[in-house]
Amino acid sequence: MRFVFYTHSLVSDWNHGNAHFLRGVMRVLREFGHEALALEPEDGWSRRNLLADQGEAALRRFARDFPDLSTATYAHGFDHEAALDGADVVIVHEWTDPGVIARLASLRRRAGGFILLFHDTHHRGISAEAEIARLGLDDFDGILAFGASLRERYVRAGWGRQVFVWHEAADDSLFKPSLAVPAKRDVIWIGNWGDNERSREIGEYLVGPVRELGLRGDVRGVRYPPEAIDALSRAGLRYGGWIANADVPAAFAQSRVTLHIPRRPYVEALPGIPTIRVFEALACGIPLVSAPWQDSEGLFRPEVDFLSVASGEAMAQTLRHLLAEPDCAAEMAAAGRATVLARHTCRHRVQELLAILRTLGRDGSAERQAAEAVA
């Protein structure tokens, strides 16, 4: 089958974690014998910021890191109809411009021929309900929501014909332990600042415990204001800015423990949805400690795959324990990696996607039979 993804960006992962997931999904689709193309706006917000932050070298870096992935840009006047000629499945990310979404929905309504899915990996279904409601998703064959709580929101609002849960996952061809790399820091936090959605939590669960314990650590991510960078420095944390996702496994390997600090909208309004970094960290075999987060869907084994704490004081105690007991930390890291490999890789998600497509009447068999008949 031929898949076309309308993504905010495949090339840029600057404050855009969905790029991590789609890269892995496209890679697996190709392994399974399908075609996959990503289309992204040439002036997309993430792409613009990556270029401003890192320059053209970042775009060349993507081509080196992911030479097997096909991507193209579009702008005003782009021939979407021609781009979708022969497409079997079109998956549209929720950051796509509403005008483009409307055009794709109209094309699906008029011409048909492909399955049209809407992919939501954000909290705007809660925080920007009017914007989602205005998209007019009735012409989409289905919604892919990255958690059960988000799916429930779509169902209650009557958005879309059918709504499926499609969690993000780790690209285990990239995210794996790097045992030959020695640890050189105690803790690493990889996460973006995020519109003050977790500024208080970063202070309580990262800055405070690291300062109290006198740990060495790094922070990677974007959009940190000067006062936040200053607070990190005073706690003994080195701020390194943006990190290419392909470099994250090595960064984890050089660290003894990492953290999960979820954004407040997910904790309060969309429980059960972890960031993709949880899947990736556990796939890399690094011990992980989470700030308050409810795994309401049972994605992981509680207190086996990672540890949860309810306060900054508890975070400090837990970090002290894991750093003092390397065998205990290694056992937990191995358990977390085993769960990801058993349930949460991009290969699992592609298999889930293909099952969803079968329920929607598209599995590629009709195309194969037609080709065989012609031959």
Side-chain angles (χ1 to χ4, degrees), residues 11 47 50-64:
V11 171
R47 187 186 183 103
L50 179 65
L51 285 169
D53 192 349
Q54 300 292 318
E56 291 285 344
L59 302 187
R60 295 192 293 271
R61 169 73 189 272
F62 169 83
R64 292 197 306 272

Side-chain angles (χ1 to χ4, degrees), residues 193-268:
W193 183 253
D195 300 318
N196 290 318
E197 292 172 341
R198 54 184 168 198
S199 53
R200 174 176 54 79
E201 290 82 356
I202 290 173
E204 179 177 359
Y205 292 97
L206 172 64
V207 174
V210 166
R211 183 176 56 236
E212 176 184 339
L213 299 176
L215 303 181
R216 295 176 302 157
D218 279 8
V219 173
R220 304 301 299 269
V222 301
R223 302 179 69 196
Y224 282 72
E227 60 271 20
I229 296 174
D230 181 61
L232 296 175
S233 177
R234 285 187 280 107
L237 290 161
R238 184 179 63 175
Y239 175 66
W242 174 79
I243 181 172
N245 207 40
D247 290 338
V248 169
F252 280 144
Q254 295 167 1
S255 312
R256 298 173 65 190
V257 66
T258 191
L259 309 181
H260 173 221
I261 306 176
R263 298 175 188 239
R264 208 168 304 127
Y266 295 118
V267 174
E268 297 175 351

